[in-house]
Amino acid sequence: MTTVRVIVPFILTLGLFVMFHGADSAGGGFQGGVIAGTVVLLLAFAFGIEPVRDWLDAARLLGLVTAGLLTFLFVGFGGLVFGGSFLQYTAYPISHASKYGIELVELGIGAVVAGIITGLFFLLAAGFDTNEPLEDDQ
C-alpha cells in the first residue's frame, strides 16, 4: 500500500503529461486517459474495490465523462460561433488558439476515456448474478 501511495502521483502526472504533450508528439487524450484511468485501478487493487467504488461513485464518474464531453463540444462548436467550422481553432480571436484548443480537446478526450475505463472496471468487478438464466436459455 505504501508503494501505491508513492507511485500514484507520478502515474497521474505521466497521464496528464501524455494528454498535454500529444499535440506536439506521440500521445494524446486517449493514451493519457488510459494511463490516468489505471491510477484508479491501481488504488482499487491496493485498497480494495469497494472503498474505492464508494469514494468514486457512479455520479462522479458520470460527471467526469460529461465534463470531458462538454469540453470537447464547447471547443468544437466554438469555432462555429466565431465564423469557422467545427474544431477550427484559428477562428477563435485569441493568440495561440490552436495550441489551447488542441490541449482542451485532448484534456476532454482524456477525461472521457478515464471515466469510461474506470466505469468498465467497476462493472466487471461487480460481476453478474449466476442464478439468472441467460438469454439463450429462456
Side-chain angles (χ1 to χ4, degrees):
M1 287 192 211
T2 303
T3 304
V4 172
R5 288 186 192 147
V6 171
I7 194 173
V8 158
F10 294 106
I11 296 173
L12 188 59
T13 303
L14 173 67
L16 292 173
F17 173 78
V18 169
M19 272 188 236
F20 286 124
H21 206 259
D24 299 326
S25 66
F30 185 85
Q31 294 88 342
V34 170
I35 293 170
T38 58
V39 168
V40 177
L41 277 63
L42 186 63
L43 290 171
F45 289 142
F47 298 106
I49 294 172
E50 290 305 319
V52 174
R53 184 182 308 183
D54 292 340
W55 171 71
L56 192 62
D57 59 353
R60 288 186 183 179
L61 285 176
L62 182 61
L64 179 68
V65 172
T66 304
L69 180 63
L70 289 176
T71 300
F72 178 81
L73 292 175
F74 175 75
V75 173
F77 285 115
L80 292 172
V81 170
F82 290 110
S85 59
F86 187 75
L87 287 176
Q88 184 180 359
Y89 309 117
T90 56
Y92 284 95
I94 59 174
S95 62
H96 306 292
S98 292
K99 179 181 189 291
Y100 298 131
I102 290 172
E103 288 178 358
L104 280 173
V105 165
E106 296 291 345
L107 187 63
I109 292 170
V112 169
V113 171
I116 289 175
I117 291 289
T118 305
L120 287 174
F121 169 73
F122 286 144
L123 284 174
L124 288 172
F128 60 93
D129 189 9
T130 58
N131 295 330
E132 291 184 15
L134 297 175
E135 291 180 16
D136 295 339
D137 295 338
Q138 293 179 0

